[in-house]
């Protein structure tokens, strides 16, 4: 998969290019991350990419021309979706990550300053936010998307199945995990995990996922396709929630 990142600060991405899972994925040619400096496409002799807003106001606005030309330099006649990292977009989640992971190539546009010229939206397919808070620019959001989408691409993780049990992949938060030692400062690994009974372990893990999700993110339970066993367990625990 190809990630084309339009940014004013390409050096910010050195960390994800040179470390851990993403570095190995790049070396194995499973993903490609192209960093495009928007400044390279400005027609301003001083390499400015921003200007004061018409009508007055605080801050600077990214100009439409450099953004437009940078996007067009990648797309040409190709149909590649453009995602803008902006505060007015849909909140990013695992469902969006899964849809993105099925694409061959995408463009991630990192906003900055007080935003972009409204006319730049003419070449943007979708605006995405990673949460209701303010950041300096869209680079960190783009990194989060690259990381979460890459994990879903076959071969990127050591075992293709390993992401399936992670929080949010199946809709619920992940169950508790334990490793050695068996006992630490009086805290012991639950006996069920040592039993070797895989059916009972799976049942325990599912129930613990329900417990954790109910207490930390009950909104996710409303969206989950619950089984009859899940509903029976929820009723036994006395959990109260209503499906949307």
């Amino acid at each position: 998969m190809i990630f084309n990142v339009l940014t004013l600060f390409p050096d910010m991405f050195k960390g994800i290019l040179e470390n851990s899972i993403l570095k190995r994925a790049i070396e194995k040619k499973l993903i490609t991350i192209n960093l495009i400096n928007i400044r390279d496409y400005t027609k301003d002799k001083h390499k400015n990419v921003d200007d004061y807003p018409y009508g007055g106001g605080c801050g600077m606005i990214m100009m439409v021309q450099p953004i437009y030309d940078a996007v067009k330099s990648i797309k040409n006649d190709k149909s590649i979706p453009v995602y803008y990292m902006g505060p007015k977009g849909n909140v990013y989640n695992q469902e969006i990550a899964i849809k993105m992971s099925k694409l061959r190539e995408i463009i991630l546009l990192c906003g900055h300053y007080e935003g972009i010229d409204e006319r730049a939206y003419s070449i943007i397919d979708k605006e995405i936010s990673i949460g209701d808070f303010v950041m300096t620019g869209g680079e960190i959001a783009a990194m989060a998307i690259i990381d979460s989408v890459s994990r879903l691409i076959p071969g990127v993780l050591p075992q293709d199945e390993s992401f399936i049990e992670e929080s949010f992949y199946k809709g619920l938060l992940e169950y508790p995990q334990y490793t050695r030692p068996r006992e630490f400062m009086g805290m012991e690994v639950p006996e069920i995990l040592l039993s070797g009974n895989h059916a009972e372990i799976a049942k325990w893990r599912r129930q613990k996922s329900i417990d954790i999700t109910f207490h930390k993110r009950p909104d996710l339970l409303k969206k989950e396709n619950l089984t009859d066993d899940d509903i029976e367990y929820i009723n036994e625990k006395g959990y109260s929630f209503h499906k949307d």
Side-chain angles (χ1 to χ4, degrees):
M1 182 175 182
I2 301 173
F3 298 92
N4 299 291
V5 185
L6 306 188
T7 173
L8 297 178
F9 302 97
D11 286 348
M12 287 183 66
F13 291 83
K14 285 184 177 179
I16 67 171
L17 294 175
E18 299 173 358
N19 292 281
S20 189
I21 292 172
L22 293 184
K23 179 183 179 181
R24 293 196 295 270
I26 293 170
E27 291 173 346
K28 292 164 65 176
K29 301 189 185 309
L30 297 172
I31 65 170
T32 299
I33 302 176
N34 296 323
L35 300 176
I36 297 93
N37 193 331
I38 299 172
R39 292 185 190 279
D40 293 340
Y41 293 88
T42 182
K43 295 180 181 178
D44 183 90
K45 64 180 181 180
H46 300 296
K47 292 294 182 180
N48 290 328
V49 293
D50 61 304
D51 209 337
Y52 294 102
Y54 279 119
C58 298
M60 306 290 278
I61 305 297
M62 289 180 66
M63 295 186 290
V64 60
Q65 176 270 313
I67 294 173
Y68 185 90
D69 288 352
V71 170
K72 288 299 181 182
S73 72
I74 300 168
K75 292 192 70 164
N76 295 321
D77 295 326
K78 296 182 291 184
S79 179
I80 306 172
V82 180
Y83 298 97
Y84 168 51
M85 309 295 100
K88 295 182 286 188
N90 295 332
V91 177
Y92 186 67
N93 57 27
Q94 190 69 9
E95 182 180 354
I96 296 175
I98 292 170
K99 289 179 180 178
M100 282 189 181
S101 71
K102 300 181 186 304
L103 301 174
R104 191 186 70 84
E105 185 172 2
I106 64 174
I107 296 173
L108 301 176
L109 170 61
C110 303
H112 247 275
Y113 309 118
E114 295 302 312
I116 60 175
D117 187 304
E118 188 70 18
R119 292 165 291 186
Y121 281 97
S122 64
I123 53 171
I124 292 170
D125 296 291
K126 193 179 188 68
E127 184 171 0
I128 293 178
S129 167
I130 61 169
D132 297 332
F133 50 88
V134 179
M135 295 194 300
T136 302
E139 282 76 15
I140 293 176
M143 292 179 203
I145 288 174
I146 292 170
D147 184 272
S148 59
V149 171
S150 295
R151 295 173 65 85
L152 299 171
I153 296 172
V156 169
L157 294 182
Q159 296 179 356
D160 290 344
E161 298 82 7
S162 60
F163 66 79
I164 294 177
E165 297 299 330
E166 292 179 340
S167 292
F168 301 114
Y169 186 80
K170 287 188 174 180
L172 300 181
L173 299 183
E174 191 176 14
Y175 48 80
Q177 297 273 32
Y178 299 86
T179 187
R180 298 177 184 177
R182 181 170 174 174
E183 184 271 337
F184 178 73
M185 297 182 66
M187 296 177 286
E188 296 187 357
V189 174
E191 197 65 31
I192 183 66
L193 299 178
L194 309 173
S195 68
N197 188 326
H198 298 296
E200 288 300 312
I201 290 173
K203 180 180 178 181
W204 179 88
R205 285 175 168 171
R206 177 68 176 182
Q207 291 175 348
K208 288 301 177 183
S209 285
I210 290 173
D211 291 340
I212 292 170
T213 304
F214 177 79
H215 291 293
K216 294 187 175 183
R217 288 291 305 276
D219 56 299
L220 296 177
L221 273 178
K222 297 178 181 180
K223 304 174 185 178
E224 177 69 358
N225 185 21
L226 299 171
T227 67
D228 290 341
D229 288 340
D230 292 336
I231 295 172
E232 181 180 353
Y233 177 73
I234 288 170
N235 290 334
E236 288 176 358
K237 297 288 288 188
Y239 295 152
S240 177
F241 76 98
H242 299 282
K243 297 282 283 186
D244 291 336

